[in-house]
Amino acid sequence: MEKSKVYYTDFHTRKLGEGLPTKLQLLAKEAGIANLDLDGKFVAIKMHFGELGNIAYLRPNYARAIVDVVKELGGKPFLTDCNTMYPGSRKNALEHLECAWQNGFTPLTVGCPILIGDGLKGTDDIEVPVVGGEYCQTAKIGRAIMDADVFISLTHFKGHESTGFGGTIKNIGMGCGSRAGKKEQHCSGTPHVDEKLCRGCKQCFDETIHKMHINETNCVGCGRCLGACNFDAISFNNYNANELLNKRMAEYTKAVVDGRPNFHISLIVDVSPNCDCHAENDLPILPNIGMLASFDSLALDQACVDLCMKAKPMPGSQLDKHLHDPNFCDHHDHFTNSTPESEWKSCLEHAQKIGLGNREYELIEMK
């Protein structure tokens, strides 16, 4: 198989008046975004708007840069993400949009509409076939994302408490899943009701749930009860092992990108130890490394991993503290050393196995 092309540039701005958003636009064009037929097409740009309290997410300026390129090429872009499975500031579309606005993402700042892909309560999804899927025959993806003609991912590459790192595959696979889709990737159990939080409002009755009781015989694990509850009283048991989570995530990514034009961008910046879903962030575990783009989501993640492994840990970070602990076992892997209970290799291995992309790549540097 021919190596995939991954384009890279660092965060240095060498020309007077050329900011990083402009450099990102040049990178996207160098990587071939103009080869996509965007004229008159709806273009979903998938990104993470950040949890309230976390300031490590990508700045809106980067989103605006890509939006402007898409519009320049005749496309009709919108920024999108799907609701979360857990309580927080992004568990329904109203709170999700409010969170995005507070974090600086508005139609005025980014130059396009912002749509929550799976609707008001995270239940507006569509089942998409997973060609070659071993764990998921279909994937429950936010409808607005699948309605788009072209798909672009804009990813903040960082550490992650379960999957080792959060890259392009996680941004797409987990991020595009509806609440039911996220549940399917994360866990295999049935929901339970927290008696202290349940107010007996009966909003979940149509979903076979009664006050403080789950009818497990009728439960199909769709996750819709989470969207029905406005008081965060419902949650799921039995979170999957990281390896199974990684494999399902790769299969969900394949469902999103199969059969339509797609393009991917990843920024290794503010490499926080945990996901942007946290309501906080910590010191970066690695320095700012650069911006990358490719038509191959798997090659892009592999290139980001390789660049991160060559970097030196940031002094005082979680990673650095672990390495200076005399009782710590060095795994010679920055992501595992940062969060030893995490696991990331199975994601890339399975992604290649199911034909998502190619781990062999040519890194092309743009000065």
Side-chain angles (χ1 to χ4, degrees):
M1 181 186 295
E2 184 179 353
K3 292 182 179 180
S4 295
K5 290 181 170 60
V6 178
Y7 291 78
Y8 161 81
T9 192
D10 58 32
F11 283 108
H12 291 293
T13 53
R14 298 177 176 86
K15 297 178 181 178
L16 189 64
E18 178 189 88
L20 289 174
T22 300
K23 197 174 186 185
L24 178 59
Q25 292 178 326
L26 294 173
L27 177 71
K29 292 176 180 179
E30 184 75 14
I33 193 172
N35 293 331
L36 296 171
D37 179 11
L38 301 182
D39 192 23
K41 304 293 177 58
F42 290 112
V43 182
I45 302 176
K46 168 64 182 72
M47 68 177 303
H48 196 302
F49 302 123
E51 190 73 21
L52 287 181
N54 187 320
I55 58 172
Y57 56 87
L58 290 183
R59 293 175 177 83
N61 313 63
Y62 292 119
R64 179 62 182 256
I66 299 305
V67 166
D68 286 347
V69 170
V70 170
K71 291 164 72 173
E72 178 185 322
L73 296 172
K76 299 178 179 179
F78 62 94
L79 296 189
T80 189
D81 196 5
C82 288
N83 293 307
T84 60
M85 190 182 81
Y86 50 81
S89 58
R90 297 175 299 116
K91 63 182 181 295
N92 61 62
L94 298 185
E95 294 180 13
H96 203 154
L97 286 172
E98 179 69 26
C99 173
W101 296 337
Q102 289 194 48
N103 283 344
F105 297 90
T106 71
L108 179 63
T109 59
V110 300
C112 72
I114 300 172
L115 303 179
I116 304 305
D118 57 347
L120 180 62
K121 295 185 176 182
T123 58
D124 188 14
D125 57 16
I126 182 172
E127 289 203 43
V128 182
V130 181
V131 179
E134 296 181 16
Y135 300 90
C136 306
Q137 299 307 306
T138 61
K140 300 176 181 68
I141 307 298
R143 186 175 297 274
I145 291 171
M146 294 311 301
D147 279 346
D149 303 303
V150 180
F151 180 84
I152 294 174
S153 67
L154 178 59
T155 300
H156 172 217
F157 194 90
K158 66 276 181 187
H160 194 276
E161 58 278 10
S162 297
T163 60
F165 67 84
T168 298
I169 292 176
K170 187 174 190 304
N171 182 28
I172 301 172
M174 186 60 66
C176 292
S178 64
R179 295 190 83 163
K182 288 180 172 65
K183 179 266 165 189
E184 183 175 55
Q185 293 174 77
H186 267 299
C187 53
S188 302
T190 53
H192 71 271
V193 177
D194 186 329
E195 299 180 12
K196 295 179 180 178
L197 296 177
C198 178
R199 301 189 184 184
C201 67
K202 301 182 181 181
Q203 290 297 313
C204 58
F205 266 35
D206 289 340
E207 308 297 341
T208 76
I209 293 179
H210 301 277
K211 179 175 171 57
M212 297 183 290
H213 173 70
I214 304 294
N215 187 334
E216 295 189 9
T217 301
N218 293 338
C219 177
V220 295
C222 69
R224 293 180 181 272
C225 56
L226 276 77
C229 181
N230 293 327
F231 305 104
D232 303 327
I234 303 172
S235 57
F236 274 86
N237 307 306
N238 301 335
Y239 267 56
N240 283 324
N242 293 337
E243 183 176 333
L244 183 53
L245 166 62
N246 280 333
K247 292 179 179 180
R248 287 180 170 175
M249 205 163 60
E251 294 188 359
Y252 260 63
T253 299
K254 193 166 190 289
V256 173
V257 301
D258 260 358
R260 62 173 168 170
N262 58 94
F263 184 79
H264 311 284
I265 302 162
S266 191
L267 278 67
I268 311 175
V269 60
D270 296 325
V271 188
S272 52
N274 296 318
C275 182
D276 289 347
C277 293
H278 280 237
E280 85 292 325
N281 58 281
D282 204 337
L283 284 174
I285 58 174
L286 298 170
N288 294 345
I289 294 174
M291 303 184 282
L292 298 91
S294 179
F295 285 98
D296 186 332
S297 58
L298 173 55
L300 183 57
D301 266 357
Q302 184 67 67
C304 289
V305 167
D306 292 343
L307 288 171
C308 285
M309 291 305 174
K310 295 176 183 177
K312 293 182 179 180
M314 290 290 284
S317 67
Q318 174 177 294
L319 171 59
D320 182 60
K321 289 179 179 179
H322 286 172
L323 291 173
H324 282 88
D325 183 344
N327 298 316
F328 185 76
C329 175
D330 186 355
H331 300 273
H332 304 287
D333 176 325
H334 288 333
F335 300 118
T336 304
N337 281 339
S338 178
T339 311
E341 60 270 24
S342 68
E343 195 280 322
W344 60 268
K345 295 180 181 178
S346 59
C347 177
L348 304 188
E349 291 168 356
H350 191 66
Q352 175 136 337
K353 182 180 179 181
I354 63 175
L356 176 60
N358 185 7
R359 296 181 72 178
E360 297 293 324
Y361 64 90
E362 175 188 0
L363 190 65
I364 303 169
E365 185 170 1
M366 186 193 82
K367 299 294 185 180

